Amino acid sequence: MFGKKKPKIEQPITPEELSRINDKKMADAEIEHFHVKNDSIEIVKYKKRRRLLSIILSVCIIILLILFIVSTLVTQWGDLIISIDSPAVKKGIVLSEDADFKTQCASLTAKQVKDVTNITYAWLPVDLDTSKDGAHNGKNYVAYTFYCKNNGEVELDYDAVLEITGAAKSADEATRVMIYKNGKSSIYGKGQYKDRSKAETDCTKFVSDKEVYKTSTEKFKVGDIDKYTIVIWIEGNDPECIDDIRNGHVRMRMLFSVRDDEESTAKP
């Protein structure tokens, strides 16, 4: 009938068109897969970087913690260390805090005294060498008693040196060290500030700027024992006992060694 449009007849898809559509879908799928794959790779890389940074950060924290602990140990402990060098250890020199040597070792550490103020020799107890073995500090002084024994197989000669290993705020200027060896005592201090060659009036001058005391024992027989007591304090009567050394500290070490150039006598 005139005026009516003929219905549009859809043409069937040719094989060529179908192939083009399929190729387009495959291409879209590949593009999508490519982006997803790239995103996954980036995520994996990000996680690896984050894990690596976490490990590095953890290692840094551990190192800093170790350094802090070491620093704490150095500044808070070991103000007085007594030790034996390797050759002396091999020849049988041993240390102990008890005269019976129930426990023996090659190194001893005295306890620290914190928040000290200056005192004077007259204030110290008179029985520091006999009252107790090991650490027996007072409020404002370090006191440590120990024993050295020839536990080897030959008679020998040994030397012992007490030296300053560290000092802050020149606290060593006013430090006094009293050493008992087998009951006999001597007091040592640094030379006068204005003239190092002169000793202070109340003590014997240090051996050198860093060496406080030296002693030698000859013909130290097998089984022989030497007793030592070391007392350390800040002498209030010293001219250098001034506010500038407040909160300072002094660290010391006593090292025992055997004379290698001396012939030892075999144990009978």
Side-chain angles (χ1 to χ4, degrees):
M1 182 181 291
F2 183 78
K4 289 186 177 180
K5 295 182 179 181
K6 291 182 180 181
K8 186 177 180 180
I9 299 174
E10 294 183 0
Q11 297 296 326
I13 298 175
T14 66
E16 291 78 7
E17 291 175 334
L18 180 61
S19 177
R20 286 197 299 273
I21 293 172
N22 288 336
D23 288 344
K24 186 176 183 303
K25 287 183 177 180
M26 289 180 64
D28 291 342
E30 287 180 358
I31 291 172
E32 182 179 358
H33 175 72
F34 175 77
H35 284 297
V36 171
K37 185 177 180 181
N38 278 356
D39 289 343
S40 299
I41 293 172
E42 290 300 321
I43 291 172
V44 170
K45 288 182 178 179
Y46 170 73
K47 288 184 176 180
K48 286 183 178 179
R49 287 197 299 269
R50 188 171 65 177
R51 189 180 299 112
L52 180 61
L53 288 173
S54 297
I55 293 172
I56 293 173
L57 181 61
S58 299
V59 171
C60 290
I61 291 174
I62 292 172
I63 291 173
L64 289 173
L65 182 60
I66 292 172
L67 291 175
F68 172 76
I69 292 173
V70 171
S71 175
T72 301
L73 290 176
V74 170
T75 56
Q76 298 297 327
W77 298 349
D79 277 359
L80 175 60
I81 296 174
I82 298 95
S83 59
I84 308 169
D85 68 9
S86 296
V89 171
K90 291 177 181 178
K91 290 191 176 183
I93 297 295
V94 292
L95 302 173
S96 180
E97 290 186 344
D98 61 273
D100 296 329
F101 281 79
K102 295 177 181 178
T103 58
Q104 57 189 40
C105 58
S107 181
L108 298 169
T109 303
K111 293 181 180 179
Q112 183 193 48
V113 179
K114 298 181 180 180
D115 302 323
V116 300
T117 186
N118 62 84
I119 58 174
T120 189
Y121 168 75
W123 299 1
L124 294 171
V126 296
D127 60 348
L128 286 170
D129 186 46
T130 58
S131 62
K132 187 179 178 182
D133 291 336
H136 46 104
N137 299 339
K139 184 177 180 181
N140 293 301
Y141 63 86
V142 170
Y144 191 72
T145 299
F146 67 96
Y147 301 84
C148 174
K149 181 180 181 180
N150 183 353
N151 202 35
E153 298 180 351
V154 296
E155 180 182 280
L156 48 81
D157 301 336
Y158 79 79
D159 298 316
V161 178
L162 179 65
E163 60 181 354
I164 295 174
T165 57
K169 295 190 174 183
S170 299
D172 56 331
E173 295 289 346
T175 297
R176 294 291 184 273
V177 183
M178 181 164 59
I179 301 176
Y180 291 85
K181 180 179 179 181
N182 297 326
K184 295 181 180 179
S185 66
S186 297
I187 300 175
Y188 300 86
K190 206 166 184 177
Q192 294 180 19
Y193 185 76
K194 294 181 179 180
D195 186 353
R196 293 301 187 194
S197 65
K198 295 182 179 180
E200 297 290 352
T201 57
D202 62 340
C203 62
T204 300
K205 185 170 68 70
F206 285 176
V207 176
S208 66
D209 191 49
K210 294 298 181 182
E211 291 184 343
V212 176
Y213 164 83
K214 281 185 177 181
T215 185
S216 298
T217 297
E218 297 182 351
K219 300 184 182 302
F220 196 47
K221 297 178 181 179
V222 175
D224 280 358
I225 297 173
D226 281 341
K227 179 182 179 181
Y228 291 89
T229 295
I230 300 176
V231 186
I232 306 170
W233 73 96
I234 300 297
E235 177 55 57
N237 291 326
D238 191 291
E240 298 307 311
C241 185
I242 55 180
D243 285 342
D244 289 347
I245 70 170
R246 190 184 297 275
N247 297 322
H249 65 260
V250 179
R251 290 193 288 270
M252 298 185 186
R253 181 185 72 162
M254 190 168 186
L255 180 64
F256 288 78
S257 60
V258 172
R259 296 184 202 168
D260 292 331
D261 59 341
E262 296 285 339
E263 292 186 0
S264 299
T265 304
K267 179 180 178 181

